[in-house]
Amino acid sequence: MKKSSVKLISPYGGKLVNLLVSEEERKEWKERITELKSLQIGNRFVCDLELLATGAFSPLDRFMGKEDYERVVEEMRLKNGLLFPIPIILPVKKEFVKEIKEGEWIVIRDEYNVPLAVMRVEEIYERDPEKEAKEVLKTLDLYHPLVPELLSWGEYCISGELKVINLPQYFDFPEYRLTPSQTRALLEDMGYENVVAFQTRNPLHRVHEELTKRARDKVNGALLLTPAVGQTKPGDVDNFTRMRIYKVIYEKYYEKDRTLLVFVPLAMRMAGPREALWHGIIRRNYGANYFIVGRDHAGPGKDSKGRPFYGPYEAQELYKKYEDEIGVKIIPFEELVYVPELGEYIEKSEAERKGYKYLSISGTEVRENYLKEGKTLPEWFTRPEVAEILKEVYKPKHKQGFCVWLTGLPCAGKSTIGKILKVMLEARGRKVTFLDGDVVRTHLSEGLGFSKEDRIKNILRVGFVASEIVKHDGVVICALVSPYRQARELVRAMMEEGKFIEVFVDAPVEVCEQRDVKGFYKKAKEGLIKGFTGIDDPYEPPENPEVHIDTTLLSPEESAWRIIDYLKSVGFLKE
């Protein structure tokens, strides 16, 4: 029998924000926006804008102003004292700041130039990216996927009244892309006062089914499955594959009268403990009063020294400290393992206490030992439908794309090694694109100078092209000086984990000068060339390159063989 409708927990701050204009106002703005200055934003900020518009970030009704930003970074609180752990900002470059003034309206567009919103610029302020990273992410390590990106955003932020005229359009699974308001209405009709939410950026396997259903039964309520389908961590299973998996699992293995699937266009920060709190607040706005927090929630993996960025239970501990304040209780779960003798999942601590033999497969093992080897995942681990989808998508590793990024001083030997490596890879049946610095400057980056800003633009342009080649299982060799560590890490973040192979082509300046047949070093020393890397512009050597080649000890051919050996060792080439 259908339960009667109930009232859910109130939105965070008491009211669900709605920034969407009426159809009449939308038509008025459509006529006006051609006269307004435009700000084009990337996908991360499009996701943030959408969640501001629909109330998922309630009580926020705009990108944060200076007082909110600074207090959130330092204390995890808005200027009014309300807990909010993640800064929601709209960074802009100083060039854009010069074009605008406080009080004027601007139009915000996506990367395809579609107008999404208009903003009255009420505040323009400088941000402190290093402090932001240290406080929010607890690190400046460039191995954290958000750090290089965060450091590259604009130097200023703008804030002010927002009017959203168009939400992003989706043509993939629109039936599951529900707003907080739509989600709340459906949950109220289910008739359960208690709602437990589950956040994930991974495919759903049997262990996730177990823990979500147990959590639902524990609170005697409804289950809200809310996978993040905005930006996640580079190397994660792509959104389309994950959405196919969520759909088939939800439709086939969950009771619809107690479960709701909603795709949340959330751009994750991989901020661990702070992010867990943020996720809880967002789920409250969708109608949940309980939230599942597992081990290493929203953790980005390991840092440049091979240590986890956050402790396995750090997120749970911080969440417990503030759960009463945000009004969403934690449902903590330990690691579950499969016990063949029982034919079910139990907590690992219980299995060990009772002496059961148990099975488990880590996410890394799923990728490396099964998907990249073309093996089918066992049925105790995942549903057959999920195993089939993943098998369709993943190619064996020796058929996947990768990028070899040769970096070093001018005349260190990058191009020579790259040309030899290209032939060696093609002789092994791989199709290879070679992006050489000089050639790129002639075509892809014609018009760019040699200022730091233009050099970074050049690196990122090449990185974007390389990432698209890799995404489609091609092999690309890039030979660029690429002197700035942060820019190289931004390129790394464009690709799946393990597919960006940084090769430090190492040679002292004196040796490079001897090899310089064009006389650039001589001209730079005489002051005829300004900003020349190694003379009056710094080169930042890689701290942890995948391959380090000393070209004073190895010939170009030996250097190429060193890279081939590495590619074999990680499975990109067969022995």
Coordinates of all heavy atoms in Angstrom, one line a residue, residues 373-417:
E373 N 43.3 -5.9 -18.6 CA 43.7 -7.2 -19.1 C 42.6 -7.9 -19.9 O 42.8 -9.0 -20.4 CB 44.2 -8.1 -18.0 CG 45.4 -7.6 -17.2 CD 46.6 -7.5 -18.1 OE1 46.8 -8.3 -18.9 OE2 47.4 -6.5 -17.9
G374 N 41.4 -7.2 -20.0 CA 40.3 -7.8 -20.7 C 39.6 -8.9 -20.0 O 38.9 -9.7 -20.7
K375 N 39.8 -9.0 -18.7 CA 39.2 -10.1 -17.9 C 37.8 -9.7 -17.4 O 37.6 -8.5 -17.1 CB 40.1 -10.5 -16.8 CG 41.4 -11.1 -17.2 CD 42.2 -11.5 -15.9 CE 43.6 -12.0 -16.3 NZ 44.4 -12.2 -15.0
T376 N 36.9 -10.7 -17.3 CA 35.6 -10.4 -16.8 C 35.6 -10.4 -15.2 O 36.2 -11.3 -14.6 CB 34.6 -11.4 -17.3 OG1 34.5 -11.4 -18.7 CG2 33.2 -11.1 -16.7
L377 N 35.0 -9.4 -14.6 CA 35.0 -9.3 -13.2 C 34.1 -10.4 -12.6 O 33.0 -10.8 -13.2 CB 34.4 -8.0 -12.7 CG 35.4 -6.8 -12.9 CD1 34.6 -5.5 -12.9 CD2 36.4 -6.8 -11.8
P378 N 34.4 -11.0 -11.5 CA 33.6 -12.1 -10.9 C 32.2 -11.7 -10.4 O 32.1 -10.5 -10.0 CB 34.5 -12.6 -9.7 CG 35.4 -11.5 -9.4 CD 35.6 -10.8 -10.7
E379 N 31.3 -12.6 -10.5 CA 29.9 -12.3 -10.1 C 29.7 -11.9 -8.6 O 28.8 -11.2 -8.3 CB 28.9 -13.4 -10.5 CG 28.7 -13.4 -12.0 CD 27.4 -14.2 -12.4 OE1 26.4 -14.2 -11.6 OE2 27.4 -14.9 -13.4
W380 N 30.6 -12.5 -7.8 CA 30.4 -12.1 -6.4 C 30.8 -10.6 -6.2 O 30.4 -10.0 -5.2 CB 31.3 -13.0 -5.5 CG 32.8 -12.8 -5.7 CD1 33.6 -13.6 -6.5 CD2 33.7 -11.8 -5.2 NE1 34.9 -13.2 -6.4 CE2 35.0 -12.1 -5.6 CE3 33.5 -10.7 -4.3 CZ2 36.1 -11.3 -5.3 CZ3 34.6 -10.0 -4.0 CH2 35.9 -10.3 -4.5
F381 N 31.6 -10.1 -7.1 CA 32.0 -8.7 -7.0 C 31.1 -7.7 -7.7 O 30.9 -6.6 -7.1 CB 33.4 -8.5 -7.6 CG 34.0 -7.2 -7.5 CD1 34.5 -6.7 -6.4 CD2 34.0 -6.3 -8.7 CE1 35.0 -5.3 -6.3 CE2 34.5 -5.0 -8.6 CZ 35.0 -4.5 -7.4
T382 N 30.6 -8.0 -8.8 CA 29.7 -7.1 -9.6 C 28.6 -7.8 -10.3 O 28.7 -9.0 -10.6 CB 30.6 -6.2 -10.5 OG1 29.9 -5.0 -10.9 CG2 31.0 -7.0 -11.8
R383 N 27.6 -7.1 -10.6 CA 26.5 -7.7 -11.4 C 27.0 -8.0 -12.9 O 27.8 -7.2 -13.4 CB 25.3 -6.8 -11.5 CG 24.7 -6.5 -10.1 CD 24.0 -7.7 -9.5 NE 23.2 -7.4 -8.3 CZ 22.6 -8.3 -7.6 NH1 22.5 -9.6 -8.0 NH2 21.9 -7.9 -6.5
P384 N 26.5 -9.0 -13.5 CA 26.9 -9.3 -14.9 C 26.7 -8.2 -15.8 O 27.5 -8.0 -16.8 CB 26.1 -10.6 -15.3 CG 25.1 -10.7 -14.2 CD 25.5 -10.0 -13.0
E385 N 25.7 -7.4 -15.7 CA 25.4 -6.3 -16.6 C 26.5 -5.2 -16.5 O 26.9 -4.6 -17.4 CB 24.0 -5.6 -16.2 CG 22.8 -6.5 -16.4 CD 22.5 -7.3 -15.2 OE1 23.3 -7.4 -14.3 OE2 21.4 -7.9 -15.2
V386 N 27.0 -5.0 -15.2 CA 28.1 -4.0 -15.0 C 29.4 -4.6 -15.6 O 30.1 -3.8 -16.3 CB 28.2 -3.8 -13.5 CG1 29.5 -2.9 -13.3 CG2 27.0 -3.1 -12.9
A387 N 29.6 -5.8 -15.4 CA 30.9 -6.4 -15.9 C 30.9 -6.3 -17.4 O 31.9 -6.0 -18.0 CB 30.9 -7.9 -15.5
E388 N 29.7 -6.5 -18.1 CA 29.7 -6.4 -19.5 C 29.9 -5.0 -20.0 O 30.6 -4.8 -21.0 CB 28.3 -6.9 -20.0 CG 28.1 -7.1 -21.5 CD 29.2 -8.1 -22.0 OE1 29.5 -9.1 -21.4 OE2 29.7 -7.9 -23.2
I389 N 29.3 -4.0 -19.4 CA 29.5 -2.6 -19.8 C 30.9 -2.2 -19.7 O 31.5 -1.6 -20.6 CB 28.6 -1.7 -18.9 CG1 27.1 -1.9 -19.3 CG2 29.0 -0.2 -19.1 CD1 26.1 -1.1 -18.3
L390 N 31.6 -2.6 -18.5 CA 33.0 -2.2 -18.3 C 33.9 -2.9 -19.3 O 34.9 -2.3 -19.8 CB 33.4 -2.6 -16.9 CG 32.8 -1.7 -15.8 CD1 33.1 -2.2 -14.4 CD2 33.2 -0.2 -15.9
K391 N 33.6 -4.1 -19.7 CA 34.4 -4.9 -20.6 C 34.3 -4.3 -22.0 O 35.3 -4.2 -22.8 CB 33.9 -6.4 -20.7 CG 35.0 -7.3 -21.2 CD 34.5 -8.7 -21.0 CE 35.6 -9.7 -21.6 NZ 35.1 -11.1 -21.6
E392 N 33.1 -3.7 -22.3 CA 32.9 -3.1 -23.6 C 33.8 -1.8 -23.7 O 34.4 -1.5 -24.8 CB 31.5 -2.6 -23.8 CG 30.5 -3.6 -24.1 CD 29.0 -3.0 -24.1 OE1 28.9 -1.8 -24.1 OE2 28.1 -3.8 -24.0
V393 N 33.9 -1.1 -22.6 CA 34.5 0.2 -22.6 C 36.1 0.1 -22.5 O 36.8 0.9 -23.2 CB 34.0 1.1 -21.5 CG1 34.8 2.4 -21.3 CG2 32.5 1.4 -21.7
Y394 N 36.5 -0.8 -21.7 CA 38.0 -0.9 -21.5 C 38.7 -1.8 -22.5 O 38.4 -2.9 -22.6 CB 38.3 -1.4 -20.0 CG 38.3 -0.2 -19.0 CD1 37.1 0.2 -18.5 CD2 39.5 0.3 -18.7 CE1 37.2 1.3 -17.6 CE2 39.6 1.4 -17.8 CZ 38.4 1.9 -17.2 OH 38.4 2.9 -16.4
K395 N 39.7 -1.2 -23.1 CA 40.6 -2.0 -23.9 C 41.8 -2.5 -23.1 O 42.2 -1.9 -22.1 CB 41.2 -1.1 -25.1 CG 40.1 -0.7 -26.1 CD 40.8 0.1 -27.2 CE 39.8 0.4 -28.3 NZ 40.4 1.2 -29.4
P396 N 42.4 -3.6 -23.5 CA 43.7 -4.0 -22.8 C 44.7 -2.9 -22.8 O 44.7 -2.1 -23.8 CB 44.2 -5.2 -23.7 CG 43.0 -5.7 -24.4 CD 42.1 -4.5 -24.6
K397 N 45.5 -2.8 -21.9 CA 46.4 -1.7 -21.7 C 47.3 -1.4 -22.9 O 47.6 -0.3 -23.3 CB 47.3 -1.8 -20.4 CG 47.9 -0.5 -20.0 CD 48.5 -0.5 -18.6 CE 49.1 0.8 -18.2 NZ 49.6 0.9 -16.9
H398 N 47.8 -2.5 -23.5 CA 48.7 -2.4 -24.7 C 48.0 -1.8 -25.9 O 48.6 -1.5 -26.9 CB 49.4 -3.7 -25.0 CG 48.5 -4.7 -25.6 ND1 47.7 -5.6 -24.8 CD2 48.2 -5.1 -26.8 CE1 47.0 -6.4 -25.5 NE2 47.3 -6.1 -26.8
K399 N 46.6 -1.6 -25.8 CA 45.9 -1.0 -26.9 C 45.4 0.4 -26.6 O 44.7 1.0 -27.3 CB 44.7 -1.9 -27.4 CG 45.2 -3.2 -28.0 CD 44.0 -4.0 -28.5 CE 44.4 -5.3 -29.2 NZ 43.2 -6.1 -29.7
Q400 N 45.7 0.9 -25.4 CA 45.3 2.2 -24.9 C 46.3 3.3 -25.3 O 47.4 3.0 -25.6 CB 45.1 2.2 -23.4 CG 44.0 1.3 -22.9 CD 43.8 1.3 -21.4 OE1 44.3 2.2 -20.7 NE2 43.3 0.2 -20.8
G401 N 45.8 4.5 -25.3 CA 46.6 5.6 -25.7 C 47.4 6.1 -24.5 O 47.1 5.8 -23.3
F402 N 48.5 6.8 -24.8 CA 49.3 7.4 -23.8 C 50.1 8.6 -24.4 O 50.2 8.7 -25.6 CB 50.3 6.4 -23.1 CG 51.2 5.8 -24.1 CD1 52.5 6.3 -24.4 CD2 50.9 4.5 -24.7 CE1 53.3 5.7 -25.3 CE2 51.8 3.9 -25.6 CZ 53.0 4.5 -25.9
C403 N 50.6 9.5 -23.5 CA 51.4 10.6 -23.9 C 52.8 10.6 -23.3 O 52.9 10.5 -22.1 CB 50.7 11.9 -23.5 SG 51.7 13.4 -23.6
V404 N 53.8 10.7 -24.1 CA 55.2 10.8 -23.6 C 55.6 12.3 -23.8 O 55.6 12.8 -24.9 CB 56.2 9.9 -24.5 CG1 57.6 10.2 -24.0 CG2 55.8 8.5 -24.3
W405 N 55.8 12.9 -22.6 CA 56.0 14.4 -22.6 C 57.5 14.6 -22.3 O 58.0 14.4 -21.2 CB 55.2 15.0 -21.5 CG 55.2 16.5 -21.6 CD1 56.1 17.4 -21.1 CD2 54.2 17.4 -22.2 NE1 55.8 18.7 -21.3 CE2 54.6 18.7 -22.0 CE3 53.0 17.1 -22.9 CZ2 53.9 19.8 -22.5 CZ3 52.3 18.2 -23.4 CH2 52.7 19.5 -23.2
L406 N 58.3 15.0 -23.3 CA 59.7 15.2 -23.2 C 59.9 16.7 -22.8 O 59.6 17.6 -23.6 CB 60.4 14.9 -24.5 CG 60.3 13.4 -25.0 CD1 60.5 13.4 -26.5 CD2 61.2 12.5 -24.3
T407 N 60.5 16.9 -21.6 CA 60.7 18.3 -21.1 C 62.2 18.4 -20.8 O 62.8 17.5 -20.3 CB 59.8 18.6 -19.9 OG1 60.2 19.9 -19.4 CG2 60.0 17.6 -18.8
G408 N 62.7 19.6 -21.0 CA 64.1 19.9 -20.6 C 64.6 21.2 -21.2 O 63.8 21.8 -22.0
L409 N 65.8 21.6 -20.9 CA 66.3 22.8 -21.5 C 66.4 22.8 -23.0 O 66.4 21.7 -23.6 CB 67.7 23.1 -20.9 CG 67.8 23.5 -19.4 CD1 69.3 23.4 -19.0 CD2 67.3 24.9 -19.2
P410 N 66.4 24.0 -23.7 CA 66.6 24.0 -25.1 C 67.9 23.3 -25.4 O 68.9 23.5 -24.8 CB 66.7 25.5 -25.4 CG 65.9 26.2 -24.3 CD 66.2 25.3 -23.1
C411 N 67.9 22.5 -26.5 CA 69.1 21.8 -27.0 C 69.5 20.6 -26.1 O 70.6 20.1 -26.2 CB 70.3 22.7 -27.2 SG 69.9 24.0 -28.3
A412 N 68.6 20.2 -25.2 CA 68.9 19.0 -24.3 C 68.8 17.7 -25.1 O 69.4 16.7 -24.6 CB 68.0 19.0 -23.1
G413 N 68.1 17.7 -26.2 CA 68.0 16.5 -27.0 C 66.6 16.0 -27.1 O 66.4 14.8 -27.6
K414 N 65.6 16.7 -26.7 CA 64.2 16.3 -26.7 C 63.7 15.9 -28.1 O 63.2 14.8 -28.3 CB 63.3 17.4 -26.2 CG 63.6 17.8 -24.8 CD 62.7 19.0 -24.3 CE 62.9 20.2 -25.1 NZ 64.3 20.8 -25.1
S415 N 63.8 16.7 -29.1 CA 63.3 16.4 -30.4 C 64.0 15.2 -31.1 O 63.4 14.4 -31.7 CB 63.5 17.7 -31.3 OG 62.7 18.7 -30.9
T416 N 65.3 15.1 -30.9 CA 66.1 14.0 -31.4 C 65.6 12.7 -30.8 O 65.3 11.7 -31.6 CB 67.6 14.2 -31.2 OG1 68.0 15.5 -31.7 CG2 68.4 13.1 -31.9
I417 N 65.4 12.7 -29.5 CA 64.9 11.4 -28.9 C 63.5 11.1 -29.3 O 63.2 10.0 -29.6 CB 65.0 11.6 -27.3 CG1 66.5 11.7 -26.9 CG2 64.3 10.5 -26.6 CD1 66.6 12.2 -25.4

